[in-house]
Amino acid sequence: MLNIQNYINGTFQDPIKDNWIDNYNPSNGEVYGQIPNSHIEDVEQAYQGAKSAFKLWSKTTLEERSRILIKISELLEENLQRFAEAESKDNGKPVSLAKSIDIPRAASNFRFFGNAITQFASESHESVGQSAINYTLRQPIGVVGCISPWNLPLYLFTWKIAPALAAGNCVVAKPSEVTPMTAFLLGEICNEAGLPKGVLNIVHGLGTSTGQAIVEHPDIKAISFTGGTATGAHIAKVAAPMFKKLSLELGGKNPNIIFADCDYDDMLNTTVRSSFANQGQICLCGSRIFVEKSIYDKFKTDFVNKIKALNVGHPSNADTNIGALVSKPHLEKVKAYINIAQGENGTILCGGNEVTVHGYENGYYLEPTVIEVPTDECRVNQEEIFGPVVTIMPFESEEDVLKMANKVKYGLSATLWTNNLNRTMRMSNQLQAGIVWVNTWMMRDLRTPFGGVKASGVGREGGFEALRFFTEPKNVCIKY
Ligand code: TXE
């Protein structure tokens, strides 16, 4: 058994009420440890730690903050294998994926924001003819709350924490109770890197108790949240009357639009990834595939053949493409959508069944599933499934596909495959999404704004947008 503890004021401690939650290994369905089920008292202690640390941290020079964040990044890189294995065990994702994407990107988050803060600038405005100069101070907010989900556990946790700390805030953070392990390990690394105690506090527990206590805390002034849209709406309701700053990164149901004039092989290989990477549990996955009619039959055959060749297996096998889904309830949710598709006259072109992996019979494995849908309005084409399930259907014209692409409540990302420049410009201007990828998918430059429109969220993270979110602008006007 591997019990994890809260990281408060630089030390590891049990939850005050001694309540615990089981932590499951999705690859075999077994409980392998326990995590604190923290309550309001633990959050209060974390807040007090953060509050005391704020006085010094907010006055620490940018060079010193930057040095510590870059040190955390280096230590994560040194511990790559250990963190990748821990992430995989907790989440079910292939170790190879955690090693090549999740942990390196978590390290990049600290390095990037460690550097970005030294380049962050604010504006000044000379009020010509009035003998006055205005400048903008960008001051840290104080104690901020960061709440993250289970799909990219350390990657999304650090995506919030790194800019919050870089900007001079102190943090009370909660990782998902489903995947708490690498956030727990991060505490050790922060101590080793010399992060002063109390600057970062990590409290574990359920969303409805620990998470809710963070959101409701009267002196935690900003909340950065990534997770489900329903949870985001609830958090907004709680936080709005308290006038908290909010950044909400929520769900997606992203279109992948394929025109006949694209670079076919590149499109096909990338579409396999954009459909099923991380078992399809990425908010950016292109889960609605629209294909121009003239290449629809060819695409359908080639795509299904590629998907049938993917290996579903134990996350630590080097040849595993698809690992385990994150939890039993999530597996049940995804399976329920496959049934819904059949009830809506969808045709399962491949997949659709649970997989028994020899030696790990109780793990949460599911075949990658491709469903041909008769209309874009069916539920599987409208609701976020967040698993290894994609829909495909043909389209006739640019106009039609644009309408279908935009006819969902979400607006996170969209992918467009075409070599026609004018069409690229027309479509990318009109797609309702925070991010449009053309002839690629999930290519990330950390300086770019990241986030969605409509039910995919409010606000942007990434680059200076994140540093703007985690600072309060103050106008100072001096008359001379
Ligand atoms: O997420 P939750 P769940 C989508 C996906 C998934 C669905 C539900 O469709 O099937 O959301 O997933 C914390 N106050 N995404 O239920 O509950 C919770 O403890 C404060 C998309 O696992 O939103 C966890 O740390 N916090 C998504 C975090 O919120 C609360 C990634 C996210 O959990 C809380 C994950 C509360 N009242 C799921 N309730 C994406 N956009 O990437 C829960 N939490």
Side-chain angles (χ1 to χ4, degrees), residues 147-151 156 174-177 205-208 211-212 215 225-229 231 234-235 249-251 283 330 333 384-386:
I147 300 175
S148 59
W150 46 257
N151 57 330
L156 291 178
K174 191 193 92 64
S176 169
E177 62 274 28
L206 300 175
T208 45
Q212 183 81 17
V215 177
F225 168 82
T226 299
T229 292
T231 316
H234 171 78
I235 288 175
E249 300 294 336
L250 310 175
C283 52
H330 191 58
K333 171 188 157 178
E384 185 179 44
I385 302 175
F386 215 65

Side-chain angles (χ1 to χ4, degrees), residues 255-363:
N256 179 5
I257 304 167
I258 299 166
F259 284 92
D261 67 359
C262 70
D263 184 338
Y264 188 83
D265 291 339
D266 192 13
M267 174 280 294
L268 191 62
N269 291 328
T270 307
T271 295
V272 172
R273 245 176 3 98
S274 67
S275 302
F276 297 112
N278 204 39
Q279 297 69 247
Q281 302 166 139
I282 305 181
C283 52
L284 303 167
C285 278
S287 52
R288 294 184 291 147
I289 305 177
F290 298 102
V291 187
E292 192 166 10
K293 203 166 176 199
S294 60
I295 58 162
Y296 184 70
D297 289 335
K298 175 175 167 50
F299 172 81
K300 192 161 99 174
T301 309
D302 294 346
F303 185 57
V304 167
N305 284 339
K306 283 215 173 252
I307 302 311
K308 282 185 178 160
L310 294 176
N311 278 326
V312 180
H314 192 270
S316 59
N317 281 352
D319 59 358
T320 290
N321 305 112
I322 310 268
L325 269 66
V326 74
S327 67
K328 181 89 179 154
H330 191 58
L331 172 69
E332 295 305 327
K333 171 188 157 178
V334 177
K335 277 168 46 192
Y337 271 108
I338 295 172
N339 284 335
I340 290 170
Q342 284 161 319
E344 291 180 315
N345 299 321
T347 308
I348 312 280
L349 299 177
C350 64
N353 302 303
E354 270 187 74
V355 178
T356 305
V357 175
H358 183 62
Y360 307 97
E361 284 75 10
N362 294 323

Side-chain angles (χ1 to χ4, degrees), residues 253-256 286-290 381 391 404-408:
K253 188 74 183 176
N254 311 305
N256 179 5
S287 52
R288 294 184 291 147
I289 305 177
F290 298 102
N381 216 50
T391 63
M404 294 193 287
N406 286 340
K407 209 170 19 148
V408 290

Side-chain angles (χ1 to χ4, degrees), residues 15 42 73 88 122 130 180 183 196 198 214 246 283 292 304 327 369 377 388 475:
D42 303 282
S73 166
S88 165
S122 58
Q130 295 180 297
I214 294 173
L246 268 187
C283 52
E292 192 166 10
V304 167
S327 67
T369 303
E377 288 178 347
N475 168 226

